[in-house]
Amino acid sequence: MPLDLAAPVSSVKGVGPKTEALLKKAGLATVKDLLYFLPRTYENFTETTALKDIRPGKVVIKGKISDVKVTQTHRRNFSVTEGVIRDATDAIRVVWFNQPYRARQFSPDKEYYFTGMYDLNRGRYQLTSPKAELASAVKKSGQNSTFRPVYPAKSGLKSDQLQKIYESLRPDFAFIPDLLPPSPLLPDFAQPSGARADALFKAHFAENDTDIKTAREYLAYEELFELILAANLNKQENQKLKSFEIPFVPRDIQSLVKKLPFPLTNAQRLATFEILKDLEKPVPMNRLLQGDVGAGKTVVAALAAFSVIRAGKQVALLAPTAILASQHAESLSALLAPFGINVALLTGATKGKSELKKRIKSGEAQLIVGTHALLTDDTEFSGLALTIIDEQHRFGVNQRQKLLAKTVAKNGLAPHLLMMTATPIPRSLQLAIFGDLDVSILNELPKGRQPVTTRLLSELNFTDQLYPVVRDFLAKGQQVYWICKKIDDTASGKPTSEAVSVKRQAEKLRPLFPKANIAFLHGKMKPAEKDAVMSAFAAGKINILVSTTVVEVGVNVPNANLMVIMNANDYGLAQLHQLRGRVGRGKDAALCFLATPASVEPSRRLRELEKSTDGFYLAEADLKLRGPGEIYGALQHGALNLQFASLTDTKLISAASKSAKAFAKTPDRLADFPELAQEIKKYQQLTTLN
Ligand code: ADP
Ligand code: MG
């Protein structure tokens, strides 16, 4: 009999109502949930350190304990338990805080395993609050004798408690049914007849590092297979939907291209062509436009919008911040108004919303630019044929879905979808992450762009090396971004943080540059205030804009060519790259200072930024420096929620995609694999865009 994975946790021996409640709180409702809740790490009692060789850090030692005494401190309810641990080679001090029962736990002639941190405390080395296990008990228990799983602490569940539960499930592991459909394309480790049962068993009852690796490899494969299969099926579903057929009229498009103050790059031409071709088809486009910061994605979007509006339909453009939305509205209106096109802006701050909504509903407003206010509000469109999402990684999957759900027209036609992102994803990962999307890439910056020069600078050298440069830029009539972490020093600012707030920084700069108009900007300001500051900056009325990272995405002020990022060491590579992308957007040479406090050594990460301005190179570098870095972090943990697989594992991804794609050719077979079908549905809900 295969194990019933859907059975409630209460069916497991030893799980009473109290434990059941705890498990439920931790999100573990079924036997399957339990099986896939894996140890965070493993304690390895096979590798103990002799006390004479002990080094600071996490240690496992085996020894006897003596001289245990409890001291009550002056503070109420606070106790310190001290003792001495000895083995044949040496002795060390051990301390527990607030665990007075430790004094009664040990017998002086028995051996124990102690696992914990050995570190310096008030000038003395000691083992602090270690876990302790009777050595003979560890050996005798039926479990993985010397390799012990440690489960993530969750909602008051203790690792030991979980271990007991798995122990009582242990005989059932052999009856875990297979999940993956049999196929010669599956790698050996994933072949049916027990691969899954074996992997899960090894994950919970690992006896060595190989077990852990085997388990993880299978589980990651299974996860990727599901994800990629779901993406493939999504794509098939998408092909079944109907959309507006927008004729591609080259001469019309040319009339707009001619009005641009610059020639398009080849990459822009190609991407535009791909999009216009998609728009002609009777199925909805589902395309991602990927291009490094400053590559000129907006123009491509404008051309697509133009084509749709000329065909008598509406376009919605969604931006992640109000600042960016109003900037888009302004520049697109400047470009399209001469063609008689009506551009409207709808953000939380928009006045006269009901009037505007009438214009949207009547079709008078043709290009509607907005923030997620567009999603939440009861906006009704009249013939929305194209939705453009700028900086799509800033939107949750839910928000994207909501927009699409509400924009399907009454006649059942779904709008075309164009998503834009500056987050570079190496090709090898695209399939796993965006399997159901077609991708266009702007791999070329506009001509004449000078790459931003980047310099690391300690705050100690501001007077000599920074302020004179700022004066030069101001003298040339150019503008400056000054990025700070905090808004002000009182509110949420941690007292330990050395970071200077936007408000203090602005105060500091005023006497230094008395002729400059200095203003500040942060996310907590009222939308109207933000807009006013940003428009004044864009119009050149503000010389130095001291800002938090609210200017990070999309904002475009070509006359601003100097950026100073305070506490640069506190940001990730991707974010710094985005921030830096705000300068160097015109024809002038641009400069970015990555400033660090006197006490901070510049990291490898900052050096990489100094070396390169290529987003794809930096993404790879980030990958190498930190494993799945922050670039993928959001995707990994947010939208896709990968539990086992790492997006850096390109070999596994390509293996999984081979078998998943083959399976997707016969989607009806899914009916024979109900558990897989259910998993796929979960992923489809996560990744589907329809
Ligand atoms: P991003 O891809 O980061 O969204 P934008 O669309 O904001 O970039 O474009 C950045 C700047 O480059 C804008 O000022 C835009 O007008 C300009 N630009 C776009 N395409 C070209 C081009 N082909 N030649 C010169 N400048 C361009
Ligand atoms: Mg942009």
Side-chain angles (χ1 to χ4, degrees), residues 9-29:
V9 286
S10 56
S11 68
V12 178
K13 211 174 73 202
V15 176
K18 235 168 120 188
T19 315
E20 186 190 2
L22 280 177
L23 288 169
K24 282 241 169 79
K25 232 171 104 197
L28 307 174

Side-chain angles (χ1 to χ4, degrees), residues 455-582:
R455 284 197 210 138
L456 298 182
L457 187 66
S458 163
E459 281 173 26
L460 287 174
N461 300 325
F462 273 16
T463 311
D464 292 348
Q465 295 179 32
L466 177 60
Y467 298 150
V469 177
V470 176
R471 279 190 196 103
D472 280 353
F473 272 80
L474 293 175
K476 281 188 288 182
Q478 300 218 332
Q479 293 159 278
V480 183
Y481 288 104
W482 207 293
I483 307 298
C484 300
K485 260 178 73 183
K486 294 194 300 178
I487 294 173
D488 57 39
D489 294 290
T490 45
S492 59
K494 277 184 246 138
T496 52
S497 169
E498 291 178 63
V500 179
S501 66
V502 280
K503 288 179 189 163
R504 270 250 309 281
Q505 187 66 46
E507 294 309 311
K508 263 175 84 172
L509 294 178
R510 283 196 175 107
L512 287 168
F513 309 103
K515 276 189 267 167
N517 185 8
I518 300 173
F520 63 77
L521 181 71
H522 58 75
K524 292 247 167 75
M525 284 160 61
K526 294 212 180 73
E529 285 174 347
K530 278 192 274 192
D531 274 354
V533 171
M534 208 52 227
S535 324
F537 187 64
K541 289 181 195 135
I542 292 168
N543 307 106
I544 303 179
L545 180 62
V546 184
S547 173
T548 58
T549 54
V550 287
V551 293
E552 174 185 335
V553 287
V555 179
N556 190 36
V557 182
N559 190 47
N561 282 305
L562 177 62
M563 175 174 277
V564 181
I565 304 177
M566 303 292 285
N567 298 85
N569 45 297
D570 287 347
Y571 300 96
L573 227 161
Q575 200 177 7
L576 289 169
H577 180 59
Q578 279 278 341
L579 275 169
R580 179 173 61 177
R582 295 313 109 216

Side-chain angles (χ1 to χ4, degrees), residues 229-391:
L229 179 56
N232 274 286
L233 296 177
N234 274 350
K235 196 162 186 167
Q236 293 176 11
E237 291 294 310
N238 195 53
Q239 296 295 313
K240 288 183 202 153
L241 297 176
K242 292 258 174 304
S243 188
F244 304 85
E245 294 171 53
I246 307 294
F248 176 7
V249 188
R251 200 189 301 166
D252 221 13
I253 301 296
Q254 269 311 323
S255 68
L256 178 56
V257 172
K258 274 198 209 118
K259 284 266 160 55
L260 294 172
F262 44 72
L264 291 177
T265 63
N266 283 331
Q268 282 171 323
R269 266 175 216 287
L270 182 61
T272 306
F273 184 77
E274 287 171 336
I275 292 165
L276 296 176
K277 276 294 181 199
D278 276 0
L279 292 175
E280 281 191 309
K281 295 180 194 149
V283 295
M285 169 171 77
N286 213 2
R287 187 171 282 278
L288 179 72
L289 177 60
Q290 228 192 93
D292 209 343
V293 278
K297 296 182 285 293
T298 317
V299 171
V300 176
L303 288 165
F306 182 69
S307 183
V308 171
I309 293 165
R310 293 294 252 203
K313 299 286 176 240
Q314 274 178 321
V315 177
L317 169 61
L318 201 62
T321 64
I323 292 176
L324 188 53
S326 51
Q327 215 180 32
H328 276 329
E330 215 167 283
S331 64
L332 290 171
S333 175
L335 186 63
L336 300 175
F339 291 87
I341 291 175
N342 189 319
V343 179
L345 173 67
L346 179 63
T347 68
T350 303
K351 293 203 185 76
K353 270 200 195 114
S354 58
E355 199 48 42
L356 177 58
K357 279 179 195 160
K358 271 187 210 139
R359 292 202 292 125
I360 296 174
K361 192 173 172 183
S362 75
E364 185 194 330
Q366 295 162 296
L367 171 55
I368 303 98
V369 183
T371 53
H372 50 263
L374 262 183
L375 303 175
T376 45
D377 281 330
D378 48 342
T379 323
E380 278 179 70
F381 295 92
S382 113
L384 178 68
L386 170 64
T387 303
I388 303 168
I389 305 185
D390 194 17
E391 310 287 350

